[in-house]
Amino acid sequence: SRLADKASMNDMLAQRLAKAWVMIGLGVQPERGRKILEESLSRFEGQLAELNELATDADVRRSLEQLGREWRDYRAALRAAPGRQRAQAVYDHSELTQEAAHRLTLAYEKTSRAPADRLVNIAGRQRMLSQRLAKFWLFQAWEVNTVAARMELNFARAEFASGMHQLYATAGTSPEIGRTVEQLDQDWIAYRNVLVEERDAASMRRAAPQVVELSERVLATAERLVTLYQSQDGVR
């Protein structure tokens, strides 16, 4: 449903906000980072308010309350000037907020049975993973929580690859969807090739602008795919 997609969008934004905050702190395209941070804050708040207004299901309401609590703490951490001494708090709160947003997405999914919803969910998950991968890369480049960030990046990379297999299995539903799945895969291969190289923190910092650029490209293509799946099924 469209409400599930808004919850999934906040799942993505929880990762995107941390990515933008670290971009500013690391000095990687800091102006772009500020713009992404402000736009994402505004969008997260707006969607959370809209979801709160429309919630009727008990599980959805409980999940929304939990997300609201995590968001308040995360927003406070994001409002602090980006610096390494505050980076661990942003790392932790981005994870807690993402988990809460994902639980909310699952609560919405339980209330919906539209045939295309599963594909919308997979494409929406790819959208989130595009930002999660960049987030963990940038934390490693900043030498913050390095071991955990590397492990999580590897998990996210494996999940994205699995998602591509699932999307390819249904790419024949329309020519435009097929083309967009192929485009997402091409964008993913370019992104993955940068992410898999073993590097020290200094070389990760040098590659950070490229990682940011590729994460934006994958995000845009995944978003286009979500929209196509929604329009194909007339998602509510």
Side-chain angles (χ1 to χ4, degrees), residues 19 64 166 177:
K19 178 184 92 168
L64 268 167
Q166 293 175 73
I177 284 172

Side-chain angles (χ1 to χ4, degrees), residues 1 3 17 24-26 31 56 58 63 71 75-76 81 88 99 120 124 133 141 153-154 170 196 212-213 222 226 236:
S1 71
L3 295 177
L17 283 157
I24 301 163
L26 262 178
E31 286 308 313
T56 52
S63 299
W71 172 241
R75 185 179 55 200
Q88 185 65 52
E99 285 166 19
V120 172
L133 287 157
L153 189 146
N154 288 336
T170 57
V196 294
V212 167
E213 197 56 53
V226 168
R236 301 160 308 292

Side-chain angles (χ1 to χ4, degrees), residues 119 123 163-187 221-222 224-229 231-232:
L119 298 173
M164 285 313 309
H165 286 302
Q166 293 175 73
L167 292 171
Y168 259 119
T170 57
T173 46
S174 87
E176 194 176 4
I177 284 172
R179 284 193 297 273
T180 308
V181 169
E182 282 181 21
Q183 184 62 56
L184 182 59
D185 198 33
Q186 286 169 22
D187 294 342
T221 309
R224 200 157 66 243
L225 191 57
V226 168
T227 304
L228 284 170
Y229 283 134
S231 60
Q232 179 194 39

Side-chain angles (χ1 to χ4, degrees), residues 23-65:
M23 283 169 69
I24 301 163
L26 262 178
V28 175
Q29 301 174 355
E31 286 308 313
R32 188 182 194 181
R34 281 186 196 92
K35 187 165 181 261
I36 291 172
L37 186 71
E38 290 309 317
E39 283 176 356
S40 299
L41 275 165
S42 173
R43 196 168 184 189
F44 194 109
E45 298 263 64
Q47 292 186 156
L48 188 57
E50 186 180 346
L51 291 170
N52 270 306
E53 277 177 29
L54 298 170
T56 52
D57 180 80
D59 276 353
V60 166
R61 282 230 66 87
R62 276 193 295 275
S63 299
L64 268 167
E65 285 165 14

